[in-house]
Amino acid sequence: MKKVILVAAMVFASHSMASDFDLKSAMKQMKLDFKQAAEAQTVAEMQTAIDSFSQLVKQSKQASYPQEKQELFVEGFNKLSTSIDAINQDLQQGDLEGAKQQLKVIDTLREEYHDKRNPSIWSKLFG
């Protein structure tokens, strides 16, 4: 019986943590981390910013979203994770400029998924 209660408490705690996730705050921090990565002068500076960005993406993937947008959000966060992996690979090789080029992919994803998340009235009307 104690095990059942413990498991139920863990499930409830993980669910409440996911539902308490503040996506807006996370996005603001991602924007700051992205800016710091883009302005980094050394591999170490960029790695610090990317590590923070990556952690926020992982947390965002685990959060709960409205059912109609869940798939869209997860798809976008998965693409971000792929780009982060490419950046980390460049940074491990000491290629700061290559990593900065990969940031452009992240910026393109940002534009794409923000448009998908909040389509304009014109796209709703005319497709």
Side-chain angles (χ1 to χ4, degrees), residues 30 53 57 76-85 106 109:
M30 282 184 201
F53 188 91
V57 170
F77 291 129
N78 285 338
K79 288 182 179 181
L80 279 175
S81 294
T82 300
S83 294
I84 291 167
D85 290 344
I106 288 177
L109 289 170

Side-chain angles (χ1 to χ4, degrees), residues 83-126:
S83 294
I84 291 167
D85 290 344
I87 290 170
N88 280 325
Q89 197 169 32
D90 285 338
L91 291 174
Q92 287 174 355
Q93 296 172 359
D95 185 3
L96 183 63
E97 290 309 310
K100 285 188 177 189
Q101 288 297 316
Q102 287 292 329
L103 286 175
K104 292 179 182 180
V105 174
I106 288 177
D107 196 41
T108 300
L109 289 170
R110 177 191 58 81
E111 291 173 358
E112 175 185 348
Y113 281 88
H114 283 190
D115 287 347
K116 287 181 179 182
R117 181 180 54 111
N118 294 322
S120 72
I121 187 73
W122 302 111
S123 67
K124 287 181 181 179
L125 291 174
F126 301 111

